Each structure stands twice: as structure tokens, then as C-alpha cells.
């Protein structure tokens, strides 16, 4: 049994993309030593420690669901993503591709219906 090698940070992308939402978080790309791109949402002015605990809780729920004797429960799971608190008021959240912010969905809805 061979353990996978540890991926380290090779470098950061030179620019951040500002997301148009209330808190204006940034999309950050980190390049790993394995040559892969790792995208994150960099959030400020928020404490992500509770978000991290929720993801840990979801992991426990997934374990309970996996061990349930009900056959339907074997197909149930909660998708988790990485949450890395950097300080009490900033942190990184694993980027979920092909998603929209609630802000952009509401904006598009209002534009389509010509609602101010």
C-alpha cells in the first residue's frame, strides 16, 4: 500500500477575481506541486469556524447514512467542500464550479421581468 504524496502550494495566481455580491469575496487560484489548479473563495469579515464545524457534522451524517440498514439510505449523502478558517474574520472555502451567487440569480430574475 503506497500513501499518496503530499501536495504543497507551488504558487498563487497573480490576480484575484472579485465576486459581485454583498460581501464582495474574491476567487483565488492556488497551483499545487502536482500541477493542478485549486480554486477557493476568499471571504473576509466573516468567521468561518462554524462553517468548518458544519462540514465536519455533515461528514458524521454521511457515515451514519452509509451504515444505515435501509437500502435507500445507501444512496444518500451530503456533498461537502473544504472550509479553511485563516483567522476569526477571514477564511477560504473550496470553490464549487458552475454555480451562481444568490445575488446574481435575483439580479437576473429582476432584469428579465423588468423589476427595479
Amino acid at each position: 500500500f503506497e500513501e499518496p504524496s503530499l501536495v504543497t502550494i507551488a504558487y498563487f495566481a497573480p490576480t484575484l477575481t472579485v465576486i459581485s455580491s454583498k460581501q464582495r469575496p474574491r476567487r483565488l487560484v492556488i497551483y499545487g506541486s502536482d500541477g493542478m489548479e485549486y480554486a477557493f473563495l476568499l471571504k473576509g469579515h466573516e468567521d468561518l469556524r462554524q462553517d468548518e464545524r458544519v462540514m465536519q457534522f455533515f461528514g458524521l451524517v454521511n457515515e451514519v447514512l452509509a451504515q444505515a440498514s435501509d437500502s435507500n439510505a445507501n444512496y444518500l449523502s451530503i456533498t461537502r467542500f473544504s472550509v479553511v478558517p485563516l483567522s476569526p474574520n477571514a477564511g477560504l472555502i473550496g470553490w464549487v464550479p458552475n454555480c451562481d451567487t444568490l445575488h446574481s440569480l435575483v439580479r437576473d430574475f429582476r432584469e428579465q421581468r423588468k423589476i427595479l
Side-chain angles (χ1 to χ4, degrees):
F1 173 71
E2 184 179 321
E3 288 193 33
S5 61
L6 180 66
V7 177
T8 58
I9 296 173
Y11 61 99
F12 291 86
T15 58
L16 302 176
T17 304
V18 178
I19 308 300
S20 63
S21 68
K22 184 179 177 184
Q23 294 290 335
R24 301 185 53 79
R26 277 70 169 155
R27 183 177 188 270
L28 165 70
V29 176
I30 300 172
Y31 294 90
S33 58
D34 59 354
M36 300 287 293
E37 261 187 27
Y38 297 89
F40 293 91
L41 188 68
L42 174 61
K43 296 191 80 171
H45 312 292
E46 277 190 55
D47 188 351
L48 297 182
R49 292 177 291 184
Q50 188 172 8
D51 299 62
E52 180 185 37
R53 297 293 179 261
V54 169
M55 288 300 131
Q56 291 173 350
F57 175 71
F58 287 169
L60 293 173
V61 170
N62 284 342
E63 287 182 29
V64 169
L65 288 172
Q67 295 174 5
S69 60
D70 185 355
S71 61
N72 288 333
N74 292 328
Y75 299 106
L76 297 176
S77 71
I78 300 171
T79 302
R80 300 176 345 163
F81 49 88
S82 60
V83 176
V84 183
L86 299 173
S87 73
N89 63 354
L92 298 172
I93 298 176
W95 186 262
V96 180
N98 305 315
C99 291
D100 289 318
T101 64
L102 184 57
H103 176 78
S104 67
L105 294 172
V106 170
R107 184 192 65 226
D108 293 348
F109 176 83
R110 288 180 172 174
E111 286 175 0
Q112 288 173 357
R113 286 162 181 76
K114 303 205 183 338
I115 301 171
L116 297 177

